[in-house]
Amino acid sequence: NHPDWPRPYNGITAIRSGDIDRDIGAYLAESEQRSCALAAATSFNGFLCTAAGGYLVEQLPGADPETLEKISKNLATLVEKDGGDKLPTNLLLRGVSPV
């Protein structure tokens, strides 16, 4: 609790799928009415975490349709490059950078 915030805002949502990105995405869509694309992943070799990362892309107020279309295409390209069903695990394991 921050000393300057006597009553901080707390949000609560159900854990539905057990996947942190899906559950947080549902919370953002339902509780905060925010449009976003979210993916998070980890990869383990035994007890060793070999890769971890993700992304959160939110639509800002006033975003123009051309920008939204470009972002949509870029996200589709990420899915295609990953090639798996656990985005972005394969990208992380191959060392793909966000740039």
Side-chain angles (χ1 to χ4, degrees):
N1 218 2
H2 193 278
D4 294 337
W5 304 335
R7 300 173 94 151
Y9 173 79
N10 289 317
I12 298 172
T13 189
I15 296 175
R16 297 179 184 167
S17 69
D19 291 331
I20 193 113
D21 51 352
R22 289 182 184 168
D23 290 333
I24 290 174
Y27 167 77
L28 290 172
E30 294 169 9
S31 297
E32 300 199 9
Q33 292 81 45
R34 291 160 60 179
S35 178
C36 70
L38 172 67
T42 55
S43 177
F44 287 89
N45 183 359
F47 291 105
L48 177 65
C49 178
T50 55
Y55 60 82
L56 170 65
V57 180
E58 290 188 66
Q59 179 178 332
L60 298 176
D64 60 72
E66 295 81 23
T67 300
L68 298 176
E69 182 63 29
K70 178 68 174 170
I71 291 169
S72 180
K73 287 180 181 178
N74 288 348
L75 291 170
T77 299
L78 277 178
V79 171
E80 185 179 306
K81 283 184 176 183
D82 185 74
D85 62 346
K86 297 280 187 187
L87 184 71
T89 303
N90 291 328
L91 294 170
L92 294 168
L93 291 172
R94 290 196 313 264
V96 175
S97 73
V99 182

